[in-house]
Amino acid sequence: MKKALYFFIVLVLLFSCKKEVVETTIPHQTSPYTISTPLGFPTMQIPDNNPMTVEGVTLGKKLFHDKILSADGTQSCASCHFQAAGFSDTNRFSEGIDGSFGDRNASTIVNAGWNTSNFWDGRATTLEDQAFGPVVNPIEMNNSWQNVENTLNANTTYKDLFKKTFNIDDIDSTHVVMAIAQFERTLISANSKYDKYLRNEIQLSPSELNGLVIFNTEKGDCFHCHSTDMFIDNLFHNNGLDAEPFTDLGLAKVTGIDSDNGKFKTPTLRNIEFSAPYMHDGRFSTLEQVVEHYNSGGKYSTTVDPLMKKLGVGLQLTEQEKQDLIAFLKTLSDTEFLNNPDFTP
Amino acid sequence: MKRIIIALLGISLVFTSCKKGKVEISGCTDSSALNFDPLATIDDSSCIYPVNTSLTINFSQTVDGVDLTTDTMIYTNSAGEDYSIQTLKYLISDITLHKDDSTSILLKEVHFVDIRNASTLSVDFGELQDGNYTSISFTMGLDTAKNISNRYVNEDFHATMFWPEPNGGGYHYMKLEGAYTNDSTFYNTHTGGTMGGDYSFNNNSSILLNVNNDMGDVIIDINMEINNWYQTPNEIAFSTYGMGIMMNMQKQMELKQNGMTDIFSVSVNQ
């Protein structure tokens, strides 16, 4: 009897020290989604609190394409990010739900899981942070998160999907952006003609090969910013588009530092053939114009990158070399990605 | 009665068991101390610690012996060109300490230095074992065995130091950039394994560092004197860079020779 009592006391003591009470929950089953790292890509950094699941990706895809997120039900993420255009907008500026326009061209969403910052000026760190923006942006979906949460919670399909995916009873903005970010991390493009060439599966034409050499040597000097097989360096540069004063301060809008004026995030060049118009403000409608810009050497400003070292002199490419460079850029088109049925609802 | 007492005792224990300091035992409460007392609840400042020697390596940069100032055209190279420094990133590899008993310790395979990122300018290597250290060696850049495309794909520097295949592949050893003569004329002193050649070089500096168990922290400073890239034995003028020097074996060789002459100096502070 005494023994039992002591045992009881010890038991009470043991439990009394636990801070958290373990609730009994119905175990909920999700299947992990594995990202396979393409040749020449780093391992993708996925936030610990948002592991990839098949359920999460499917839910994210549904949300990405669903107009339910906008105030008047007319716009989804996909309204400005078209798959066939590398998830960018073919219009120079995107039209928001009220017919208002922004002053930046919609970014592509291609291999965005490897971005260390998002938006042209890098103002969002993770894809989760990024997705909070457009829903409430007055010139985009112009909604409120409270309203989105109410609408989704009133929708039995979503109730069910969020329960299955995240095991939550009340849908909140945090889990909405988590699902969208999971979907975006699957938007991987690494099966272009160039990738097949890297894997020794095909040959490039002499013109494409010549373009590759121009791109990847100091002749064209593109690789110093559009670096590696990802064609980004996750850094910000002023590539000599404008002289001062700048109409869009870019990175400096976020950092407030003068030396960041006119700097923008290096965009990927994968699927560039299909993601016109080009640059943060969509000023160029063709790759010919882009190449002409670089061939001119660019304009001087106090923040122009020292990598734009042919300022005032220009690249001095011949007509044939310009065409070769463009031919190479087009080897970065990945039709399998642009038409991948996994990305469409 | 007895039962009630035991029960009461039990209950009171439940109340006190999670509160620290009710039953007070004084002693040393720090588990990293030599005389740590696991039963002690109150620290009586009696802890005794082992004396560790921790090693930090700092990477500093000077021009003409003065700490680097970026973005202003206040420097002049030996060819007489005024210049500014905007970017300086470089890779130091195989950082190794050597002891008098001819053993050595590899501290780090590759370290990336970026003057814009303070966290790359100082590395804490933690505890340094006792011994008589007589020299430190390291490589400027990456030797052929390491300078392989995508070898460091998961390192921070992978993209920014990338050196494409048509130039030989691997990584830039160094990116030193800025303006010269006037604000809109740029130089890019980019060194690397041009066309698969090995232009990395080793630096071995003697040091006096006898570490024993009652010694404090040690800082080793590895300084790069930037102007020395351009003067001895080869005077190098930015105006001779042409379209760039990444494919220019002659320039890479000259920079390597100048680098080996006097680019680095090592000092030990205790």
Side-chain angles (χ1 to χ4, degrees):
Chain A
M1 188 60 216
K2 239 188 207 166
K3 254 189 201 157
L5 203 68
Y6 281 129
F7 182 66
F8 171 75
I9 291 171
V10 169
L11 214 72
V12 169
L13 275 177
L14 277 179
F15 280 100
S16 66
C17 284
K18 281 235 177 95
K19 285 191 186 112
E20 276 163 299
V21 183
V22 184
E23 272 174 51
T24 42
T25 47
I26 316 131
H28 98 283
Q29 284 296 319
T30 48
S31 351
Y33 182 106
T34 324
I35 301 266
S36 49
T37 311
L39 182 77
F41 284 40
T43 310
M44 193 189 286
Q45 297 298 308
I46 294 164
D48 289 342
N49 62 0
N50 193 19
M52 302 282 293
T53 63
V54 174
E55 291 77 6
V57 171
T58 311
L59 175 56
K61 175 169 76 176
K62 187 172 165 62
L63 288 163
F64 189 89
H65 289 93
D66 199 334
K67 295 178 173 159
I68 199 170
L69 294 183
S70 64
D72 61 358
T74 59
Q75 203 171 53
S76 70
C77 307
S79 305
C80 299
H81 297 281
F82 318 143
Q83 180 175 355
F87 291 96
S88 76
D89 195 342
T90 47
N91 301 304
R92 180 166 181 192
F93 301 123
S94 313
E95 190 172 353
I97 67 159
D98 300 328
S100 44
F101 287 88
D103 54 4
R104 288 196 181 153
N105 180 240
S107 318
T108 56
I109 308 178
V110 174
N111 302 327
W114 283 275
N115 288 353
T116 54
S117 69
N118 291 283
F119 288 123
W120 286 104
D121 52 17
R123 65 186 181 278
T125 317
T126 62
L127 288 169
E128 283 82 354
D129 290 341
Q130 194 284 328
F132 276 114
V135 172
V136 292
N137 189 330
I139 54 165
E140 295 185 0
M141 300 162 118
N142 197 16
N143 211 339
S144 74
W145 275 108
Q146 185 61 57
N147 193 42
V148 173
E149 288 170 358
N150 292 344
T151 325
L152 292 175
N153 276 310
N155 181 311
T156 49
T157 314
Y158 274 116
K159 278 288 243 198
D160 190 43
L161 287 172
F162 275 91
K163 178 76 183 167
K164 273 201 197 126
T165 308
F166 297 113
N167 195 27
I168 53 169
D169 295 313
D170 285 307
I171 302 170
D172 57 17
S173 57
T174 309
H175 289 88
V176 173
V177 300
M178 281 164 74
I180 292 177
Q182 287 193 34
F183 168 62
E184 289 174 314
R185 292 194 173 98
T186 68
L187 304 179
I188 298 174
S189 176
N191 204 19
S192 63
K193 188 169 184 186
Y194 173 69
D195 297 292
K196 291 176 186 155
Y197 161 77
L198 288 181
R199 300 194 299 254
N200 289 320
E201 292 165 18
I202 52 152
Q203 255 310 322
L204 296 185
S205 74
S207 167
E208 290 163 343
L209 271 178
N210 194 37
L212 183 156
V213 172
I214 294 168
F215 187 98
N216 270 322
T217 59
E218 285 175 300
K219 189 167 178 62
D221 217 341
C222 313
F223 68 92
H224 270 127
C225 303
H226 304 282
S227 313
T228 76
D229 294 334
M230 304 212 54
F231 297 90
I232 55 170
D233 59 358
N234 268 314
L235 295 174
F236 298 81
H237 303 273
N238 172 348
N239 64 343
L241 290 171
D242 296 303
E244 281 144 318
F246 301 113
T247 38
D248 188 337
L249 290 180
L251 180 61
K253 270 191 179 170
V254 181
T255 62
I257 302 171
D258 286 349
S259 58
D260 289 337
N261 285 350
K263 294 187 181 174
F264 293 88
K265 190 174 66 147
T266 309
T268 182
L269 299 182
R270 286 183 170 275
N271 302 301
I272 197 71
E273 180 182 4
F274 296 99
S275 67
Y278 305 113
M279 304 298 167
H280 68 275
D281 55 3
R283 68 177 66 192
F284 299 133
S285 49
T286 64
L287 287 174
E288 282 73 13
Q289 289 172 313
V290 172
V291 168
E292 213 44 70
H293 159 69
Y294 287 109
N295 194 48
S296 78
K299 296 199 179 81
Y300 172 74
S301 60
T302 52
T303 59
V304 68
D305 204 290
L307 289 165
M308 297 294 293
K309 57 179 178 268
K310 282 131 198 174
L311 210 69
V313 188
L315 300 176
Q316 299 175 12
L317 301 178
T318 64
E319 281 314 310
Q320 184 58 48
E321 286 167 338
K322 290 180 204 169
Q323 281 172 31
D324 294 346
L325 182 55
I326 292 170
F328 169 67
L329 292 176
K330 290 183 176 171
T331 68
L332 302 177
S333 300
D334 177 354
T335 46
E336 198 177 288
F337 172 85
L338 298 167
N339 300 306
N340 191 337
D342 290 349
F343 305 152
T344 35
Chain B
M1 189 58 201
K2 222 184 198 172
R3 252 188 224 173
I4 294 168
I5 289 173
I6 292 172
L8 276 177
L9 196 80
I11 289 162
S12 72
L13 263 176
V14 169
F15 278 110
T16 56
S17 62
C18 284
K19 291 227 181 98
K20 285 183 188 134
K22 281 285 164 174
V23 187
E24 293 173 354
I25 301 173
S26 58
C28 171
T29 58
D30 186 343
S31 60
S32 67
L34 293 171
N35 60 334
F36 168 58
D37 180 353
L39 296 173
T41 54
I42 277 203
D43 194 88
D44 61 358
S45 344
S46 68
C47 297
I48 301 166
Y49 296 96
V51 179
N52 292 337
T53 297
S54 83
L55 172 69
T56 302
I57 296 189
N58 287 346
F59 297 88
S60 61
Q61 300 79 26
T62 53
V63 182
D64 299 331
V66 180
D67 285 348
L68 173 63
T69 303
T70 56
D71 304 321
T72 32
M73 204 172 288
I74 49 175
Y75 302 128
T76 309
N77 63 19
S78 91
E81 295 166 317
D82 292 337
Y83 70 101
S84 68
I85 292 165
Q86 296 182 31
T87 307
L88 176 54
K89 301 175 178 179
Y90 53 98
L91 299 177
I92 298 282
S93 61
D94 288 332
I95 307 171
T96 310
L97 280 177
H98 304 273
K99 287 192 201 177
D100 60 355
D101 61 3
S102 68
T103 59
S104 57
I105 305 171
L106 175 65
L107 293 171
K108 196 167 182 187
E109 181 178 317
V110 185
H111 181 65
F112 172 55
V113 179
D114 175 359
I115 56 163
R116 302 283 179 181
N117 182 349
S119 71
T120 66
L121 302 179
S122 183
V123 188
D124 180 356
F125 287 99
E127 196 183 337
L128 185 60
Q129 41 177 271
D130 288 359
N132 190 10
Y133 297 90
T134 50
S135 69
I136 180 167
S137 64
F138 55 87
T139 299
M140 170 63 215
L142 302 172
D143 61 23
T144 315
K146 293 192 187 61
N147 199 21
I148 295 165
S149 297
N150 290 333
R151 177 177 167 118
Y152 299 104
V153 69
N154 283 317
E155 299 291 330
D156 295 356
F157 64 78
H158 172 69
T160 196
M161 298 307 270
F162 163 74
W163 182 280
E165 286 293 338
N167 302 297
Y171 295 89
H172 287 76
Y173 304 158
M174 177 173 77
K175 284 167 113 175
L176 172 54
E177 301 157 9
Y180 72 98
T181 313
N182 63 62
D183 288 339
S184 58
T185 313
F186 298 121
Y187 70 91
N188 286 183
T189 301
H190 287 188
T191 63
T194 296
M195 306 321 289
D198 188 347
Y199 299 91
S200 69
F201 58 88
N202 195 263
N203 182 292
N204 199 331
S205 298
S206 302
I207 51 173
L208 284 173
L209 181 58
N210 196 347
V211 176
N212 53 51
N213 63 15
D214 55 6
M215 191 167 148
D217 296 348
V218 172
I219 298 170
I220 298 181
D221 183 76
I222 299 178
N223 184 65
M224 178 187 281
E225 168 49 53
I226 298 165
N227 227 354
N228 288 356
W229 282 114
Y230 305 115
Q231 46 200 32
T232 319
N234 311 297
E235 182 177 286
I236 298 177
F238 300 130
S239 58
T240 63
Y241 277 16
M243 293 299 263
I245 60 165
M246 288 177 67
M247 300 268 254
N248 187 332
M249 294 156 103
Q250 174 71 28
K251 278 278 178 313
Q252 295 292 334
M253 183 49 78
E254 288 175 5
L255 283 159
K256 171 178 170 168
Q257 287 167 348
N258 290 358
M260 289 174 78
T261 308
D262 51 8
I263 205 80
F264 290 111
S265 56
V266 171
S267 57
V268 180
N269 302 297
Q270 293 168 25

